[in-house]
Amino acid sequence: MKYRLLIAYRGGGYAGWQRQSNAVAVQQKVEEALAQVLSRKVVIHGSGRTDTGVHAAAQVAHLEQPEPVVLDSLVHGANHFLPEDIRVLRADPIGDDFHARKSAVAKEYRYRMSRCRVLSPLAAPFSIRIDPAVDLDSMRAAAQLLLGRHDFTAFAASGGAHRDPRRRILEAEWLERDEALVFRVLGEGFLRGMVRALAGTLLEVGQGRRTVEQFGELLVGAPRSAAGPNAPPHGLVLWQVFYPPELTVPGEATLPSGQPGSR
Amino acid sequence: MKYRLLIAYRGGGYAGWQRQSNAVAVQQKVEEALAQVLSRKVVIHGSGRTDTGVHAAAQVAHLEQPEPVVLDSLVHGANHFLPEDIRVLRADPIGDDFHARKSAVAKEYRYRMSRCRVLSPLAAPFSIRIDPAVDLDSMRAAAQLLLGRHDFTAFAASGGAHRDPRRRILEAEWLERDEALVFRVLGEGFLRGMVRALAGTLLEVGQGRRTVEQFGELLVGAPRSAAGPNAPPHGLVLWQVFYPPELTVPGEATLPSGQPGSR
């Protein structure tokens, strides 16, 4: 039996999603909780890593399990043993050919920036503060340039060995949410550190520190040093992971038809 | 000189707004921070208390100060000494006849309830979980009954000595925000514990545990025991405090004209 887990977490207390030898990661906490529930050693496979401090509204992982389990027991049992900043939102049986990372066709991230003089403690856990005077039109024009397939070397964390630095972006926009601007980006895949580097560099466009044209020139394989800094991790949320329709569980969104990843 | 302070806080770590002898309150933390900035003992006056664990997006307080101060220094100096879950958002000079509590003409509160099986850690600090199957139409019909002037004894915390238990509600509605329902209520004033008791009792209407008519019968001075339980504090936010136009600072909202409190 294979099960698909939907997992949410606040990233502040963890060294990212992926299990590490020298720091506590979210994957480790989930595996330890499931081990308590299932009374055996458990290994889960996530859709991909998230960096230290980055949040997830809906990370996806899968679990191989010799015997069928009661879904509610799995969810509530895991949550009983998990710290309050990690929750298994749901568990679903899924076909044997499902793999949380390999089957994923797209991911959506959101990065939140609050336009204010002082950041409210109600927003602070999930947002950074930016100058209210940023030029949203420029930031929107630059985001539009992301659509399609580009060489994102300029936005890849050094140290990440990317065989192919090209990725296809399906949607990219700035949403206005109360006083906040939210950078929403949907892509077939992302290089390590890419969304935070995009957010930090788009912000420089909004601040007038680089033009929309200069931003566009980064998308042809410019070196990392040519782009702006990574925006801080706590503004970023892994929002959703998309799978092909035949591997999507009831109530979960699929990609809009016509998108390359939608089959 | 008199100054008006706009203050936001996450209430989880505090015994409410009002200074207490036996517990740490938000007022005390702000007074201590201002004392460091101004090098003197400081007393501030808030618009009213918030209960233990209740949040504020925009609490208002005033401060009497013998000498003029640089506003940015006051704000950033106070925030330097405040814990990260309390922030002074802005400070403005205000007329001598301003009093944060006595001048207030209305307050707005919001109570958030997430419709889900498991509450996401991203929502959990500011929301409670409720059954997705609640009857929103009934909850909306019951909220409509709140409009106007009623005897809210059924929703007043016992122990609060209210000389007059009548209060006028100006607006009451349920907003839909993603998966959450948000009870938004604007009134000329509220009894102690009233918004949480209203939220808890309106939820019982949505759960089919009492009818809209039975809810209405509580608004004529029924005893506290006739209404439902207080909803937990962490779902509640003091959203805004309204003042008459002549005592409103630039960029802050006034009541829509035509409202009783708008003069």
Side-chain angles (χ1 to χ4, degrees):
Chain A
M1 294 289 298
K2 218 170 211 181
Y3 291 94
R4 200 199 83 149
L5 305 174
L6 194 69
I7 300 166
Y9 46 90
R10 298 197 298 270
Y14 303 98
W17 163 262
Q18 186 160 296
R19 182 184 268 276
Q20 314 218 349
S21 57
N22 57 348
V24 178
V26 176
Q27 179 183 2
Q28 174 191 340
K29 301 302 281 186
V30 177
E31 287 175 346
E32 287 172 359
L34 290 170
Q36 297 253 30
V37 176
L38 299 171
S39 303
R40 64 172 179 90
K41 181 167 167 27
V42 171
V43 175
I44 60 174
H45 299 270
S47 74
R49 55 174 85 204
T50 54
D51 286 346
T52 299
V54 171
H55 315 290
Q59 171 70 286
V60 174
H62 76 261
L63 161 75
E64 302 222 42
Q65 165 67 6
E67 302 291 324
V69 294
V70 177
L71 296 177
D72 272 359
S73 303
L74 191 67
V75 170
H76 297 299
N79 289 334
H80 175 73
F81 291 109
L82 280 168
E84 54 90 32
D85 51 5
I86 304 175
R87 280 291 171 270
V88 176
L89 301 181
R90 61 184 287 180
D92 296 273
I94 194 87
D96 279 343
D97 49 351
F98 178 85
H99 188 289
R101 178 172 55 78
K102 295 175 185 167
S103 304
V105 292
K107 285 184 185 170
E108 179 180 339
Y109 284 93
R110 298 194 182 190
Y111 196 102
R112 178 176 286 260
M113 304 182 182
S114 298
R115 289 178 290 187
C116 54
R117 299 290 303 282
V118 176
L119 187 58
S120 168
L122 303 190
F126 309 113
S127 187
I128 65 166
R129 188 194 74 78
I130 62 170
D131 189 322
V134 293
D135 179 2
L136 179 56
D137 288 342
S138 298
M139 293 161 81
R140 286 188 155 143
Q144 279 303 298
L145 299 180
L146 295 174
L147 299 177
R149 191 172 176 80
H150 303 284
D151 180 335
F152 286 101
T153 299
F155 302 95
S158 61
H162 301 292
R163 279 164 296 185
D164 181 355
R166 291 173 301 173
R167 292 293 183 276
R168 185 183 302 280
I169 299 301
L170 305 172
E171 299 178 14
E173 62 179 335
W174 285 92
L175 309 172
E176 292 189 80
R177 290 282 182 273
D178 299 325
E179 89 302 340
L181 297 178
V182 179
F183 174 52
R184 174 182 169 276
V185 61
L186 174 67
E188 290 185 354
F190 294 88
L191 304 175
R192 190 156 182 211
M194 178 171 150
V195 182
R196 289 167 57 203
L198 287 173
T201 310
L202 287 167
L203 178 58
E204 288 191 342
V205 173
Q207 293 164 333
R209 297 170 63 186
R210 60 178 80 220
T211 66
V212 174
E213 290 69 29
Q214 287 167 340
F215 181 84
E217 291 164 4
L218 297 170
L219 300 173
V220 291
R224 178 67 187 88
S225 58
N230 280 0
H234 71 275
L236 183 59
V237 180
L238 170 58
W239 196 260
Q240 195 159 5
V241 186
F242 293 89
Y243 293 94
E246 68 274 16
L247 292 175
T248 298
V249 300
E252 291 283 300
T254 53
L255 282 181
S257 63
Q259 291 285 20
S262 67
R263 309 288 162 90
Chain B
M1 295 288 300
K2 218 170 210 179
Y3 291 94
R4 199 198 85 150
L5 305 174
L6 193 69
I7 300 165
Y9 47 90
R10 297 197 299 268
Y14 303 98
W17 164 262
Q18 188 160 295
R19 181 184 269 277
Q20 314 219 350
S21 57
N22 57 348
V24 178
V26 177
Q27 179 183 3
Q28 174 191 339
K29 301 301 282 186
V30 177
E31 288 175 346
E32 288 173 357
L34 291 170
Q36 296 253 30
V37 175
L38 300 170
S39 303
R40 65 172 179 89
K41 182 167 169 23
V42 171
V43 175
I44 61 174
H45 300 270
S47 73
R49 58 174 82 205
T50 54
D51 285 347
T52 299
V54 172
H55 314 290
Q59 170 70 287
V60 175
H62 76 262
L63 162 74
E64 301 223 41
Q65 166 67 7
E67 303 290 324
V69 294
V70 177
L71 297 176
D72 273 359
S73 303
L74 190 68
V75 170
H76 296 300
N79 288 334
H80 174 74
F81 291 109
L82 280 167
E84 54 90 31
D85 52 4
I86 304 176
R87 280 291 172 271
V88 176
L89 301 180
R90 60 184 288 180
D92 295 273
I94 195 88
D96 279 342
D97 49 350
F98 179 85
H99 188 289
R101 179 172 54 79
K102 294 176 186 169
S103 305
V105 292
K107 284 184 187 171
E108 180 180 338
Y109 283 93
R110 298 193 182 192
Y111 196 101
R112 178 177 287 260
M113 303 181 182
S114 298
R115 290 177 290 188
C116 53
R117 300 289 302 282
V118 176
L119 187 58
S120 168
L122 304 191
F126 309 113
S127 187
I128 65 167
R129 188 193 74 78
I130 62 170
D131 189 323
V134 293
D135 180 1
L136 180 56
D137 288 342
S138 298
M139 293 162 80
R140 286 188 155 142
Q144 279 302 299
L145 299 178
L146 295 174
L147 300 177
R149 191 172 176 81
H150 304 284
D151 181 335
F152 286 101
T153 298
F155 302 95
S158 61
H162 301 292
R163 280 164 295 187
D164 181 354
R166 290 173 300 172
R167 293 291 184 277
R168 185 184 302 281
I169 300 299
L170 306 172
E171 300 177 15
E173 61 179 337
W174 285 93
L175 309 172
E176 293 190 78
R177 291 282 181 273
D178 300 324
E179 89 303 339
L181 297 177
V182 178
F183 174 53
R184 174 183 171 275
V185 60
L186 174 68
E188 291 185 352
F190 295 88
L191 304 175
R192 189 157 181 210
M194 179 171 150
V195 181
R196 288 168 56 201
L198 288 172
T201 310
L202 287 167
L203 178 58
E204 288 191 343
V205 173
Q207 293 165 335
R209 299 171 61 185
R210 59 178 80 220
T211 65
V212 174
E213 291 66 30
Q214 287 167 338
F215 181 84
E217 290 164 4
L218 298 170
L219 301 173
V220 292
R224 177 66 188 89
S225 58
N230 281 359
H234 71 274
L236 183 59
V237 179
L238 170 59
W239 197 260
Q240 194 159 8
V241 186
F242 293 89
Y243 293 94
E246 67 275 16
L247 292 174
T248 297
V249 301
E252 291 284 300
T254 55
L255 283 181
S257 62
Q259 291 286 20
S262 67
R263 308 289 164 89

